[in-house]
mmCIF file of all heavy atoms in Angstrom:
data_model
loop_
_atom_site.group_PDB
_atom_site.id
_atom_site.type_symbol
_atom_site.label_atom_id
_atom_site.label_comp_id
_atom_site.label_asym_id
_atom_site.label_seq_id
_atom_site.Cartn_x
_atom_site.Cartn_y
_atom_site.Cartn_z
ATOM 1 N N VAL A 1 9.977 -10.024 -21.253
ATOM 2 C CA VAL A 1 8.591 -9.790 -20.866
ATOM 3 C C VAL A 1 8.601 -8.943 -19.596
ATOM 4 O O VAL A 1 9.192 -9.344 -18.582
ATOM 5 C CB VAL A 1 7.831 -11.108 -20.623
ATOM 6 C CG1 VAL A 1 6.378 -10.828 -20.229
ATOM 7 C CG2 VAL A 1 7.873 -11.983 -21.871
ATOM 8 N N VAL A 2 7.959 -7.780 -19.637
ATOM 9 C CA VAL A 2 7.978 -6.849 -18.506
ATOM 10 C C VAL A 2 6.648 -6.946 -17.757
ATOM 11 O O VAL A 2 5.602 -6.554 -18.279
ATOM 12 C CB VAL A 2 8.226 -5.402 -18.986
ATOM 13 C CG1 VAL A 2 8.214 -4.440 -17.802
ATOM 14 C CG2 VAL A 2 9.560 -5.316 -19.721
ATOM 15 N N VAL A 3 6.707 -7.452 -16.534
ATOM 16 C CA VAL A 3 5.511 -7.635 -15.718
ATOM 17 C C VAL A 3 4.840 -6.295 -15.441
ATOM 18 O O VAL A 3 3.608 -6.195 -15.399
ATOM 19 C CB VAL A 3 5.872 -8.365 -14.408
ATOM 20 C CG1 VAL A 3 4.688 -8.420 -13.457
ATOM 21 C CG2 VAL A 3 6.372 -9.773 -14.714
ATOM 22 N N ASP A 4 5.649 -5.242 -15.260
ATOM 23 C CA ASP A 4 5.107 -3.928 -14.914
ATOM 24 C C ASP A 4 4.316 -3.297 -16.061
ATOM 25 O O ASP A 4 3.635 -2.291 -15.871
ATOM 26 C CB ASP A 4 6.238 -2.991 -14.484
ATOM 27 C CG ASP A 4 5.759 -1.888 -13.545
ATOM 28 O OD1 ASP A 4 4.698 -1.310 -13.816
ATOM 29 O OD2 ASP A 4 6.433 -1.615 -12.542
ATOM 30 N N MET A 5 4.361 -3.875 -17.236
ATOM 31 C CA MET A 5 3.562 -3.383 -18.349
ATOM 32 C C MET A 5 2.141 -3.951 -18.318
ATOM 33 O O MET A 5 1.313 -3.597 -19.163
ATOM 34 C CB MET A 5 4.245 -3.708 -19.677
ATOM 35 C CG MET A 5 5.535 -2.937 -19.889
ATOM 36 S SD MET A 5 6.443 -3.398 -21.399
ATOM 37 C CE MET A 5 5.351 -2.757 -22.662
ATOM 38 N N SER A 6 1.879 -4.799 -17.360
ATOM 39 C CA SER A 6 0.529 -5.331 -17.158
ATOM 40 C C SER A 6 -0.208 -4.497 -16.123
ATOM 41 O O SER A 6 0.375 -4.067 -15.120
ATOM 42 C CB SER A 6 0.599 -6.782 -16.671
ATOM 43 O OG SER A 6 -0.653 -7.221 -16.188
ATOM 44 N N ASP A 7 -1.502 -4.290 -16.323
ATOM 45 C CA ASP A 7 -2.302 -3.565 -15.340
ATOM 46 C C ASP A 7 -2.349 -4.296 -14.002
ATOM 47 O O ASP A 7 -2.580 -3.673 -12.963
ATOM 48 C CB ASP A 7 -3.728 -3.357 -15.854
ATOM 49 C CG ASP A 7 -3.787 -2.416 -17.050
ATOM 50 O OD1 ASP A 7 -2.855 -1.600 -17.205
ATOM 51 O OD2 ASP A 7 -4.756 -2.503 -17.832
ATOM 52 N N LEU A 8 -2.132 -5.603 -14.018
ATOM 53 C CA LEU A 8 -2.148 -6.370 -12.770
ATOM 54 C C LEU A 8 -1.105 -5.873 -11.778
ATOM 55 O O LEU A 8 -1.292 -5.982 -10.565
ATOM 56 C CB LEU A 8 -1.902 -7.862 -13.052
ATOM 57 C CG LEU A 8 -3.107 -8.694 -13.485
ATOM 58 C CD1 LEU A 8 -2.655 -10.061 -13.982
ATOM 59 C CD2 LEU A 8 -4.099 -8.841 -12.337
ATOM 60 N N LYS A 9 -0.006 -5.322 -12.280
ATOM 61 C CA LYS A 9 1.057 -4.848 -11.390
ATOM 62 C C LYS A 9 0.571 -3.712 -10.493
ATOM 63 O O LYS A 9 1.126 -3.476 -9.410
ATOM 64 C CB LYS A 9 2.262 -4.381 -12.219
ATOM 65 C CG LYS A 9 3.520 -4.045 -11.417
ATOM 66 C CD LYS A 9 4.136 -5.268 -10.770
ATOM 67 C CE LYS A 9 5.599 -5.079 -10.381
ATOM 68 N NZ LYS A 9 5.879 -3.986 -9.479
ATOM 69 N N LEU A 10 -0.497 -3.012 -10.939
ATOM 70 C CA LEU A 10 -1.026 -1.910 -10.148
ATOM 71 C C LEU A 10 -1.607 -2.396 -8.821
ATOM 72 O O LEU A 10 -1.711 -1.611 -7.870
ATOM 73 C CB LEU A 10 -2.091 -1.150 -10.935
ATOM 74 C CG LEU A 10 -1.615 -0.481 -12.233
ATOM 75 C CD1 LEU A 10 -2.776 0.187 -12.949
ATOM 76 C CD2 LEU A 10 -0.500 0.514 -11.956
ATOM 77 N N LEU A 11 -1.984 -3.659 -8.749
ATOM 78 C CA LEU A 11 -2.458 -4.189 -7.466
ATOM 79 C C LEU A 11 -1.396 -4.026 -6.389
ATOM 80 O O LEU A 11 -1.694 -3.701 -5.237
ATOM 81 C CB LEU A 11 -2.842 -5.665 -7.603
ATOM 82 C CG LEU A 11 -4.201 -5.959 -8.207
ATOM 83 C CD1 LEU A 11 -4.344 -7.449 -8.492
ATOM 84 C CD2 LEU A 11 -5.321 -5.489 -7.286
ATOM 85 N N GLU A 12 -0.154 -4.248 -6.775
ATOM 86 C CA GLU A 12 0.953 -4.092 -5.828
ATOM 87 C C GLU A 12 1.351 -2.630 -5.668
ATOM 88 O O GLU A 12 1.399 -2.107 -4.549
ATOM 89 C CB GLU A 12 2.163 -4.891 -6.307
ATOM 90 C CG GLU A 12 3.420 -4.638 -5.485
ATOM 91 C CD GLU A 12 4.681 -5.103 -6.175
ATOM 92 O OE1 GLU A 12 4.606 -5.778 -7.223
ATOM 93 O OE2 GLU A 12 5.772 -4.764 -5.674
ATOM 94 N N THR A 13 1.633 -1.964 -6.794
ATOM 95 C CA THR A 13 2.261 -0.651 -6.721
ATOM 96 C C THR A 13 1.321 0.439 -6.223
ATOM 97 O O THR A 13 1.767 1.409 -5.609
ATOM 98 C CB THR A 13 2.822 -0.243 -8.094
ATOM 99 O OG1 THR A 13 1.788 -0.331 -9.079
ATOM 100 C CG2 THR A 13 3.963 -1.147 -8.500
ATOM 101 N N ILE A 14 0.027 0.295 -6.474
ATOM 102 C CA ILE A 14 -0.933 1.277 -5.969
ATOM 103 C C ILE A 14 -1.580 0.786 -4.678
ATOM 104 O O ILE A 14 -1.403 1.367 -3.606
ATOM 105 C CB ILE A 14 -2.022 1.585 -7.020
ATOM 106 C CG1 ILE A 14 -1.413 2.307 -8.215
ATOM 107 C CG2 ILE A 14 -3.120 2.459 -6.407
ATOM 108 C CD1 ILE A 14 -2.408 2.659 -9.305
ATOM 109 N N PHE A 15 -2.309 -0.303 -4.775
ATOM 110 C CA PHE A 15 -3.170 -0.703 -3.661
ATOM 111 C C PHE A 15 -2.407 -1.400 -2.531
ATOM 112 O O PHE A 15 -2.695 -1.171 -1.358
ATOM 113 C CB PHE A 15 -4.302 -1.576 -4.196
ATOM 114 C CG PHE A 15 -5.104 -0.866 -5.247
ATOM 115 C CD1 PHE A 15 -4.925 -1.146 -6.592
ATOM 116 C CD2 PHE A 15 -5.995 0.133 -4.897
ATOM 117 C CE1 PHE A 15 -5.635 -0.461 -7.565
ATOM 118 C CE2 PHE A 15 -6.707 0.824 -5.865
ATOM 119 C CZ PHE A 15 -6.524 0.527 -7.198
ATOM 120 N N GLY A 16 -1.430 -2.219 -2.875
ATOM 121 C CA GLY A 16 -0.625 -2.841 -1.825
ATOM 122 C C GLY A 16 0.190 -1.823 -1.062
ATOM 123 O O GLY A 16 0.340 -1.910 0.159
ATOM 124 N N THR A 17 0.699 -0.815 -1.787
ATOM 125 C CA THR A 17 1.493 0.227 -1.135
ATOM 126 C C THR A 17 0.626 1.102 -0.241
ATOM 127 O O THR A 17 1.019 1.454 0.877
ATOM 128 C CB THR A 17 2.201 1.084 -2.198
ATOM 129 O OG1 THR A 17 2.984 0.236 -3.035
ATOM 130 C CG2 THR A 17 3.104 2.106 -1.541
ATOM 131 N N GLY A 18 -0.557 1.484 -0.731
ATOM 132 C CA GLY A 18 -1.462 2.291 0.094
ATOM 133 C C GLY A 18 -1.869 1.568 1.363
ATOM 134 O O GLY A 18 -1.872 2.151 2.457
ATOM 135 N N ASP A 19 -2.180 0.291 1.228
ATOM 136 C CA ASP A 19 -2.528 -0.525 2.387
ATOM 137 C C ASP A 19 -1.365 -0.587 3.374
ATOM 138 O O ASP A 19 -1.564 -0.496 4.592
ATOM 139 C CB ASP A 19 -2.898 -1.936 1.920
ATOM 140 C CG ASP A 19 -2.993 -2.937 3.049
ATOM 141 O OD1 ASP A 19 -3.997 -2.910 3.787
ATOM 142 O OD2 ASP A 19 -2.054 -3.754 3.192
ATOM 143 N N SER A 20 -0.148 -0.712 2.861
ATOM 144 C CA SER A 20 1.012 -0.862 3.746
ATOM 145 C C SER A 20 1.296 0.413 4.528
ATOM 146 O O SER A 20 1.818 0.360 5.645
ATOM 147 C CB SER A 20 2.246 -1.277 2.943
ATOM 148 O OG SER A 20 2.727 -0.209 2.141
ATOM 149 N N TYR A 21 0.968 1.580 3.954
ATOM 150 C CA TYR A 21 1.166 2.835 4.672
ATOM 151 C C TYR A 21 0.349 2.839 5.962
ATOM 152 O O TYR A 21 0.874 3.151 7.050
ATOM 153 C CB TYR A 21 0.776 4.014 3.792
ATOM 154 C CG TYR A 21 0.647 5.329 4.543
ATOM 155 C CD1 TYR A 21 1.775 5.993 5.013
ATOM 156 C CD2 TYR A 21 -0.600 5.889 4.794
ATOM 157 C CE1 TYR A 21 1.664 7.184 5.712
ATOM 158 C CE2 TYR A 21 -0.717 7.084 5.490
ATOM 159 C CZ TYR A 21 0.406 7.727 5.946
ATOM 160 O OH TYR A 21 0.288 8.905 6.648
ATOM 161 N N PHE A 22 -0.915 2.482 5.862
ATOM 162 C CA PHE A 22 -1.761 2.496 7.056
ATOM 163 C C PHE A 22 -1.418 1.344 8.010
ATOM 164 O O PHE A 22 -1.494 1.520 9.236
ATOM 165 C CB PHE A 22 -3.241 2.458 6.658
ATOM 166 C CG PHE A 22 -3.733 3.792 6.167
ATOM 167 C CD1 PHE A 22 -3.828 4.059 4.807
ATOM 168 C CD2 PHE A 22 -4.065 4.797 7.056
ATOM 169 C CE1 PHE A 22 -4.257 5.295 4.356
ATOM 170 C CE2 PHE A 22 -4.505 6.049 6.618
ATOM 171 C CZ PHE A 22 -4.596 6.290 5.255
ATOM 172 N N ARG A 23 -1.004 0.212 7.481
ATOM 173 C CA ARG A 23 -0.567 -0.872 8.368
ATOM 174 C C ARG A 23 0.680 -0.474 9.141
ATOM 175 O O ARG A 23 0.842 -0.838 10.318
ATOM 176 C CB ARG A 23 -0.307 -2.153 7.568
ATOM 177 C CG ARG A 23 -1.562 -2.841 7.070
ATOM 178 C CD ARG A 23 -1.281 -4.249 6.559
ATOM 179 N NE ARG A 23 -0.401 -4.272 5.418
ATOM 180 C CZ ARG A 23 0.848 -4.761 5.418
ATOM 181 N NH1 ARG A 23 1.354 -5.277 6.536
ATOM 182 N NH2 ARG A 23 1.586 -4.737 4.332
ATOM 183 N N ALA A 24 1.559 0.289 8.490
ATOM 184 C CA ALA A 24 2.773 0.747 9.177
ATOM 185 C C ALA A 24 2.435 1.711 10.305
ATOM 186 O O ALA A 24 3.020 1.632 11.400
ATOM 187 C CB ALA A 24 3.719 1.405 8.174
ATOM 188 N N LEU A 25 1.493 2.628 10.070
ATOM 189 C CA LEU A 25 1.092 3.552 11.133
ATOM 190 C C LEU A 25 0.487 2.790 12.306
ATOM 191 O O LEU A 25 0.765 3.101 13.476
ATOM 192 C CB LEU A 25 0.088 4.576 10.601
ATOM 193 C CG LEU A 25 0.574 5.541 9.512
ATOM 194 C CD1 LEU A 25 -0.435 6.668 9.319
ATOM 195 C CD2 LEU A 25 1.941 6.128 9.832
ATOM 196 N N GLU A 26 -0.321 1.790 11.998
ATOM 197 C CA GLU A 26 -0.906 0.969 13.068
ATOM 198 C C GLU A 26 0.187 0.243 13.842
ATOM 199 O O GLU A 26 0.146 0.159 15.077
ATOM 200 C CB GLU A 26 -1.893 -0.028 12.466
ATOM 201 C CG GLU A 26 -3.142 0.617 11.878
ATOM 202 C CD GLU A 26 -3.933 -0.332 10.997
ATOM 203 O OE1 GLU A 26 -3.584 -1.541 10.970
ATOM 204 O OE2 GLU A 26 -4.880 0.125 10.335
ATOM 205 N N TYR A 27 1.172 -0.281 13.129
ATOM 206 C CA TYR A 27 2.278 -0.995 13.771
ATOM 207 C C TYR A 27 3.039 -0.065 14.716
ATOM 208 O O TYR A 27 3.508 -0.480 15.788
ATOM 209 C CB TYR A 27 3.218 -1.550 12.701
ATOM 210 C CG TYR A 27 4.450 -2.229 13.229
ATOM 211 C CD1 TYR A 27 4.415 -3.565 13.625
ATOM 212 C CD2 TYR A 27 5.664 -1.540 13.337
ATOM 213 C CE1 TYR A 27 5.555 -4.195 14.108
ATOM 214 C CE2 TYR A 27 6.796 -2.157 13.817
ATOM 215 C CZ TYR A 27 6.738 -3.487 14.200
ATOM 216 O OH TYR A 27 7.866 -4.098 14.692
ATOM 217 N N LEU A 28 3.159 1.213 14.328
ATOM 218 C CA LEU A 28 3.884 2.199 15.137
ATOM 219 C C LEU A 28 2.987 2.885 16.171
ATOM 220 O O LEU A 28 3.406 3.841 16.818
ATOM 221 C CB LEU A 28 4.511 3.249 14.221
ATOM 222 C CG LEU A 28 5.625 2.740 13.291
ATOM 223 C CD1 LEU A 28 5.995 3.792 12.253
ATOM 224 C CD2 LEU A 28 6.853 2.331 14.098
ATOM 225 N N ASP A 29 1.763 2.372 16.322
ATOM 226 C CA ASP A 29 0.797 2.918 17.294
ATOM 227 C C ASP A 29 0.476 4.387 17.031
ATOM 228 O O ASP A 29 0.262 5.175 17.960
ATOM 229 C CB ASP A 29 1.310 2.747 18.736
ATOM 230 C CG ASP A 29 1.357 1.289 19.157
ATOM 231 O OD1 ASP A 29 0.468 0.528 18.748
ATOM 232 O OD2 ASP A 29 2.286 0.924 19.894
ATOM 233 N N VAL A 30 0.451 4.753 15.763
ATOM 234 C CA VAL A 30 0.057 6.103 15.368
ATOM 235 C C VAL A 30 -1.436 6.097 15.066
ATOM 236 O O VAL A 30 -1.914 5.262 14.291
ATOM 237 C CB VAL A 30 0.847 6.578 14.135
ATOM 238 C CG1 VAL A 30 0.311 7.916 13.637
ATOM 239 C CG2 VAL A 30 2.324 6.684 14.459
ATOM 240 N N ASP A 31 -2.171 6.994 15.666
ATOM 241 C CA ASP A 31 -3.604 7.090 15.416
ATOM 242 C C ASP A 31 -3.825 7.726 14.047
ATOM 243 O O ASP A 31 -3.645 8.926 13.868
ATOM 244 C CB ASP A 31 -4.289 7.922 16.504
ATOM 245 C CG ASP A 31 -5.785 8.052 16.277
ATOM 246 O OD1 ASP A 31 -6.316 7.334 15.392
ATOM 247 O OD2 ASP A 31 -6.428 8.866 16.963
ATOM 248 N N ALA A 32 -4.197 6.903 13.081
ATOM 249 C CA ALA A 32 -4.410 7.401 11.728
ATOM 250 C C ALA A 32 -5.883 7.411 11.354
ATOM 251 O O ALA A 32 -6.231 7.489 10.179
ATOM 252 C CB ALA A 32 -3.644 6.535 10.738
ATOM 253 N N THR A 33 -6.748 7.329 12.355
ATOM 254 C CA THR A 33 -8.181 7.266 12.064
ATOM 255 C C THR A 33 -8.769 8.639 11.784
ATOM 256 O O THR A 33 -9.855 8.741 11.203
ATOM 257 C CB THR A 33 -8.940 6.619 13.234
ATOM 258 O OG1 THR A 33 -8.680 7.370 14.441
ATOM 259 C CG2 THR A 33 -8.479 5.181 13.435
ATOM 260 N N ASP A 34 -8.086 9.692 12.212
ATOM 261 C CA ASP A 34 -8.562 11.050 11.957
ATOM 262 C C ASP A 34 -7.906 11.623 10.704
ATOM 263 O O ASP A 34 -6.802 11.244 10.330
ATOM 264 C CB ASP A 34 -8.245 11.965 13.145
ATOM 265 C CG ASP A 34 -9.076 11.624 14.367
ATOM 266 O OD1 ASP A 34 -10.189 11.077 14.191
ATOM 267 O OD2 ASP A 34 -8.614 11.889 15.492
ATOM 268 N N GLY A 35 -8.584 12.555 10.081
ATOM 269 C CA GLY A 35 -8.034 13.233 8.921
ATOM 270 C C GLY A 35 -7.902 14.715 9.203
ATOM 271 O O GLY A 35 -8.206 15.176 10.298
#
């Protein structure tokens, strides 16, 4: 049974990863509020 074949896995691979990118910048004191 492959968990990654479920759409639920996208919560981690898409949204959890995107969230972690900005949390990492905040942790490193990088101003990521501007685009």
Side-chain angles (χ1 to χ4, degrees):
V1 180
V2 179
V3 173
D4 206 316
M5 292 175 69
S6 167
D7 293 337
L8 277 169
K9 188 67 160 58
L10 298 178
L11 280 171
E12 172 196 351
T13 54
I14 293 180
F15 302 102
T17 304
D19 168 76
S20 71
Y21 167 72
F22 283 99
R23 287 193 297 112
L25 296 192
E26 292 166 8
Y27 176 84
L28 294 169
D29 292 324
V30 173
D31 180 10
T33 57
D34 291 334

